[in-house]
Amino acid sequence: MGVQKSAYRQPVTPEGLKAIEEGKLTWLDDEMYNNLNTGVLEQYLEEKNLQESFEVSHWSTPKVLYGIAIGAVFSGVTAYIGLKLGLAISAAWYIAYLLGMALKWSPSEVNIATSATTGATHASTGFIFTFPAIFLLASDPRYELASGPLITLGSGDAFNLAFIGIVASMFAGFLGVMYFIIFRRVWLVEDPLPLPGFEATLKMLDIASDVNTGAVEHARDSLKTIGIWTSFTMVGLFLVEYPLIWAGDKKLALLDWIAQTLSIGDIGLASLYSKGTIHQPSGTEDGVSLSYTQWTPDTAWNPFAYTYIGVYLTPSMFAIGWFMKTRVAFLVNLGTLVGWFFLVPLVVWFNFPVYDAVTQSNIPIQEYAGQTGAALQMKAFAASVRTIAIGSIVGGGMFGLAKMYKTFLNIFSDIGGALKGEGSQEYMEGKGWYEWPLKHIPIFMVLTFFSMILIFTLGGFSILASLIFATVLIMTTFLLGAIAVRVMGETGIEPVSGTSFIVLLMLLGVFLNAQDLLQLNTQDAVLLGLVGTTVFGSAISMSGTVIGDYKNSLYIGNRPYHISKGNIMGVVPGAIIGAGVAIFLSIQLADGNIDLLAPQANAFATFSVIFAEKEGDMTLLLLGFLLGMFVEWATGMGTSFGLGMYLTIPYTLPMLIGGYARDNWEEKKLSPRIDKIKQESGSNEAEKQRALILLGTFMVAAGLLTGEAFFGTESSILSFIDSLWNATDDNPTGKFFGIDEFGFSTQWYIARMTGFIGLNVSIGYLIYWLFKRAGVIGGNSDSPDAKTA
């Protein structure tokens, strides 16, 4: 057989080849690390696993349930982070890995349990990115048309749509996992994709396998690190965001109160700081920050009136930047920089007309700002630049698919070979299943197809419309999902948003142009398109999730069957909890009770209005499309560029700061330390210490993510409760419990603070009790509790 060529294949080392020929190379040894992604190693380990993995890979339902529980809880946390930042980043797998290490689970058990964790965490991705657009279109004044909201939700409609989306996402999630079974051997064994960044996870499994390295104690220390930094983050955000000072009709966070107190007239700290953001000088009014530098004919000379520069005090974005490192963080920031330093100033300077949905007319932006008093640069961003950003996301995503045309053409031959069982052994006589049976895939495709028709028909859509959606879902989940996973295997980033925009474009194109045939009005066509895209997003997210778990399982001797089973088991609880939290937050966001960026949801809402009303500047959309294609061609990250353009500078600068901080730390601090260890103890020990040290920084970053997510979720709940005391037509004074304006009363202030503190103390004690019972905190790792757990 000839040697295959690939852009990702690495040359096998002489020592590795010799060990393979002699059959001495085994899981997690030095030669395995030296030959990752060679193809020769992967094929050797696949044959080794077929014979020996049954002695290593064992299913443990209690341990998998641990993983599911962690993933389900963090699915809600991920929903908050995704809505706030536009990135579905989760610390759940770190927690699951460390807990398994602390409880002395084998690498195999950790890998299987965390496959359930990742499955539960990402099963509701579509509800984070797409579904919130429904509530924005229904309630947010920014998307209101002259005739009223594009979508009107009656009593029970939201619950009906949520039920449709959750149940359909479960089936789609199962399908997403099963689809990748076809490609596992092709893309992870025969021609292995590199999946940048997976080495850190593999090294964690290696550490878990060797208790003599002190991994158990390190896992305990790492969990404590997460707890400390989670607490530290929540305290910091309490000062930045919690309405601690109630003065008159104002509820202010402590830092906002200090900024306003230290301001005199138009001069003072409030001009530079407001609402958690350190920003360019904006001026103040009655001591309150104007937030943005206002454009007027008299201030046209001021360059700050044409843009908005600042740094939002968000620990999550710093942590995400730390994970990304400088290059990726810069490419995302590049879109923001182009938007705010080039496009926004151009729109303002040239008095570009912006579309106003209420009047259904285009108004020069300087005239528009004069009529409404809006911050001109923010209107330029919302009305024009975000349209370009949407086009950039779509253009980058589609060009990324075009670059993969060879893969696209070869997909069908890969499928045919896999379904014929070429090179695959699913069931081993006397041992059990090695891989999930391929014959289940067409069966489940048919089951999913008819289930989708039934679910959407019962949800109130016509049978023909449901049939078309089911067909599009089956095809796009398979074809676009496969290519999205291929892109993830190349870059480490799965373009869920980019491919979802393509699916929404397809669905709206069909549903809006065939309304009579499909028995759909405009609202139903948009709703079906958005719910359908939600389901698609969850499906391909699960395909991207399972590839990482498969990749690690190959190198530690796990059976792919157990990985598939773990991911599938995590889908149901993850979809329910994650979607529930995302829907709750979406309603609060649309009603104005909380302030979350939700970039993808806003983009989907804008996109829906443009297509439903056949309005908006399609030239800007085309310009963005071409720009996204160019950036994808030049950097391979057109979708990330478009997403960055959709964000404001204060949100992305912390990401760039975090990425630069990590690179600088590795160069100045980590590398010299590792070089010294290498000289004293050898390369193997140096690499293990590198992983342990880097893991420690990941735990800090995980604490920042977790702390902001927990605090934000709690704040959202409290904001929702606050809204219950607002004045209504039936209760114009907001009177509750016999107290007028109860929402501003001392009694509610005390009750709110007491509940907030009590909730956090209770959660903290519960976590402490669980970890102590498991032997992670205090006690001895060999205690009966630890062994039982």
Side-chain angles (χ1 to χ4, degrees):
M1 182 181 69
V3 178
Q4 296 182 0
K5 295 182 179 180
S6 169
Y8 315 112
R9 298 279 291 273
Q10 303 297 320
V12 62
T13 65
E15 295 82 2
L17 185 60
K18 180 179 180 181
I20 289 173
E21 291 174 345
E22 296 176 353
K24 295 180 179 179
L25 193 152
T26 190
W27 308 296
L28 302 176
D29 66 12
D30 290 346
E31 289 308 322
M32 189 202 80
Y33 281 105
N34 292 333
N35 289 278
L36 296 177
N37 297 318
T38 60
V40 177
L41 169 69
E42 284 73 18
Q43 293 174 51
Y44 167 80
L45 289 178
E46 178 78 354
E47 294 302 318
K48 179 181 177 68
N49 292 345
L50 280 166
Q51 303 301 320
E52 302 179 25
S53 64
F54 295 90
E55 303 299 324
V56 175
S57 183
H58 299 291
W59 180 267
S60 173
T61 299
K63 292 172 182 176
V64 169
L65 292 177
Y66 266 107
I68 291 175
I70 294 172
V73 170
F74 274 85
S75 65
V77 175
T78 303
Y80 175 80
I81 295 176
L83 284 170
K84 184 169 185 177
L85 305 177
L87 297 167
I89 302 294
S90 173
W93 72 274
Y94 288 110
I95 305 294
Y97 263 69
L98 289 168
L99 183 59
M101 290 163 63
L103 297 178
K104 294 186 177 181
W105 294 353
S106 70
S108 170
E109 292 170 330
V110 173
N111 182 225
I112 294 171
T114 52
S115 70
T117 301
T118 54
T121 303
H122 294 284
S124 57
T125 300
F127 282 89
I128 301 172
F129 292 154
T130 309
F131 202 77
I134 295 174
F135 299 102
L136 292 174
L137 292 171
S139 304
D140 196 317
R142 294 176 298 170
Y143 302 105
E144 190 168 315
L145 308 177
S147 58
L150 178 60
I151 292 176
T152 302
L153 298 178
S155 177
D157 286 349
F159 176 82
N160 182 54
L161 291 172
F163 177 79
I164 294 172
I166 291 173
V167 176
S169 291
M170 291 178 188
F171 280 95
F174 298 149
L175 194 63
V177 174
M178 290 190 177
Y179 269 165
F180 194 76
I181 296 171
I182 297 173
F183 301 103
R184 185 194 70 84
R185 186 171 182 88
V186 175
W187 285 345
L188 293 183
V189 178
E190 300 294 342
D191 188 12
L193 294 170
L195 198 66
F198 93 96
E199 295 88 352
T201 311
L202 184 61
K203 181 59 71 173
M204 289 176 68
L205 292 170
D206 191 354
I207 294 169
S209 72
D210 189 359
V211 295
N212 293 326
T213 63
V216 175
E217 292 303 321
H218 189 273
R220 291 174 179 159
D221 291 341
S222 296
L223 284 173
K224 292 176 184 177
T225 300
I226 291 176
I228 291 171
W229 281 94
T230 296
S231 302
F232 179 79
T233 300
M234 294 184 72
V235 171
L237 290 174
F238 177 83
L239 302 177
V240 173
E241 297 185 5
Y242 187 87
L244 185 63
I245 308 299
W246 292 19
D249 60 348
K250 296 181 180 178
K251 296 180 179 180
L252 300 173
L254 180 62
L255 292 188
D256 280 307
W257 179 79
I258 292 174
Q260 293 183 19
T261 302
L262 297 180
S263 296
I264 301 175
D266 292 337
I267 303 173
L269 188 58
S271 181
L272 301 173
Y273 173 86
S274 62
K275 299 179 180 178
T277 303
I278 302 171
H279 51 69
Q280 64 190 36
S282 65
T284 62
E285 185 175 338
D286 297 328
V288 179
S289 175
L290 294 175
S291 298
Y292 314 110
T293 306
Q294 303 296 306
W295 187 96
T296 66
D298 295 333
T299 62
W301 57 269
N302 187 349
F304 285 132
Y306 296 83
T307 188
Y308 179 53
I309 305 170
V311 177
Y312 181 50
L313 302 181
T314 166
S316 292
M317 290 302 274
F318 179 87
I320 290 169
W322 187 272
F323 285 121
M324 285 182 170
K325 304 184 72 172
T326 302
R327 179 183 178 275
V328 178
F330 174 75
L331 287 173
V332 174
N333 267 264
L334 186 60
T336 315
L337 298 176
V338 169
W340 283 97
F341 290 150
F342 182 70
L343 296 177
V344 168
L346 281 180
V347 173
V348 177
W349 180 264
F350 288 104
N351 199 21
F352 193 81
V354 295
Y355 179 74
D356 180 59
V358 176
T359 62
Q360 293 189 344
S361 62
N362 289 294
I363 304 173
I365 191 168
Q366 295 177 14
E367 179 183 338
Y368 180 90
Q371 294 176 358
T372 63
L376 191 147
Q377 68 271 53
M378 302 310 293
K379 181 60 181 178
F381 172 65
S384 299
V385 176
R386 275 189 165 172
T387 303
I388 298 175
I390 293 170
S392 183
I393 292 172
V394 177
M398 294 191 71
F399 192 73
L401 298 183
K403 289 196 304 182
M404 302 293 298
Y405 76 95
K406 291 183 179 179
T407 299
F408 187 81
L409 294 175
N410 290 330
I411 280 176
F412 291 105
S413 62
D414 292 342
I415 296 169
L419 290 177
K420 292 177 182 177
E422 294 178 3
S424 176
Q425 299 183 46
E426 299 172 357
Y427 186 79
M428 305 293 287
E429 288 294 336
K431 294 182 178 181
W433 289 102
Y434 175 74
E435 191 162 15
W436 198 279
L438 287 172
K439 65 181 180 182
H440 285 187
I441 296 175
I443 295 174
F444 205 84
M445 287 175 63
V446 174
L447 177 62
T448 301
F449 179 78
F450 286 105
S451 296
M452 292 297 167
I453 296 175
L454 178 62
I455 292 168
F456 280 84
T457 302
L458 293 177
F461 299 102
S462 69
I463 294 179
L464 183 57
S466 301
L467 173 66
I468 291 175
F469 165 70
T471 303
V472 171
L473 176 69
I474 295 296
M475 294 175 60
T476 55
T477 301
F478 184 73
L479 298 177
L480 294 183
I483 297 174
V485 171
R486 179 66 183 256
V487 172
M488 180 179 179
E490 296 171 350
T491 66
I493 300 174
E494 185 178 19
V496 176
S497 298
T499 50
S500 293
F501 272 113
I502 296 170
V503 171
L504 181 62
L505 178 64
M506 293 171 59
L507 293 176
L508 290 182
V510 173
F511 297 147
L512 289 172
N513 290 293
Q515 294 184 42
D516 294 337
L517 176 64
L518 302 177
Q519 302 175 26
L520 296 171
N521 56 34
T522 300
Q523 170 173 307
D524 287 342
V526 173
L527 282 175
L528 186 54
L530 289 171
V531 175
T533 306
T534 297
V535 176
F536 167 81
S538 296
I540 68 163
S541 181
M542 288 304 301
S543 292
T545 294
V546 77
I547 183 177
D549 296 323
Y550 277 144
K551 182 87 169 175
N552 285 301
S553 71
L554 177 64
Y555 294 118
I556 64 172
N558 261 347
R559 285 185 270 167
Y561 174 79
H562 285 158
I563 302 303
S564 302
K565 187 176 178 181
N567 271 275
I568 289 172
M569 283 187 64
V571 167
V572 174
I576 294 173
I577 298 177
V581 174
I583 291 169
F584 167 75
L585 294 174
S586 300
I587 294 173
Q588 300 308 304
L589 171 66
D591 290 342
N593 295 327
I594 57 175
D595 184 20
L596 299 175
L597 193 62
Q600 288 92 344
N602 279 285
F604 280 120
T606 303
F607 206 55
S608 299
V609 170
I610 290 174
F611 273 82
E613 292 297 300
K614 298 180 175 59
E615 293 289 353
D617 196 326
M618 301 303 291
T619 302
L620 293 179
L621 201 64
L622 177 61
L623 175 64
F625 188 91
L626 296 175
L627 182 60
M629 290 178 62
F630 171 77
V631 175
E632 177 68 27
W633 169 78
T635 69
M637 296 190 65
T639 303
S640 295
F641 175 87
L643 177 59
M645 188 182 295
Y646 201 89
L647 301 172
T648 60
I649 283 183
Y651 273 86
T652 57
L653 273 184
M655 183 195 304
L656 184 58
I657 293 171
Y660 174 77
R662 176 174 170 185
D663 282 347
N664 186 66
W665 172 80
E666 287 190 356
E667 179 184 354
K668 300 291 181 62
K669 301 293 184 180
L670 181 60
S671 294
R673 184 174 175 183
I674 296 304
D675 289 341
K676 183 178 180 180
I677 295 174
K678 186 181 295 184
Q679 292 177 357
E680 296 175 352
S681 305
S683 298
N684 188 47
E685 180 63 23
E687 288 305 312
K688 287 186 177 181
Q689 289 302 315
R690 175 189 289 273
L692 288 169
I693 296 170
L694 191 58
L695 178 60
T697 69
F698 287 173
M699 294 309 100
V700 174
L704 297 179
L705 284 168
T706 306
E708 183 162 359
F710 277 145
F711 183 88
T713 303
E714 294 173 5
S715 296
S716 301
I717 295 172
L718 290 174
S719 297
F720 168 72
I721 297 175
D722 284 343
S723 69
L724 299 178
W725 317 133
N726 293 339
T728 63
D729 293 338
D730 296 331
N731 184 14
T733 65
K735 186 173 184 176
F736 285 89
F737 306 108
I739 302 172
D740 289 337
E741 295 187 348
F742 179 73
F744 284 87
S745 68
T746 302
Q747 290 89 335
W748 173 234
Y749 176 91
I750 295 173
R752 194 184 199 276
M753 177 66 75
T754 302
F756 179 78
I757 295 174
L759 176 63
N760 284 284
V761 170
S762 299
I763 292 174
Y765 178 78
L766 177 62
I767 294 173
Y768 173 82
W769 179 82
L770 288 172
F771 282 171
K772 185 174 182 179
R773 180 174 176 80
V776 176
I777 298 176
N780 190 302
S781 61
D782 294 326
S783 66
D785 284 338
K787 292 180 179 179
T788 300

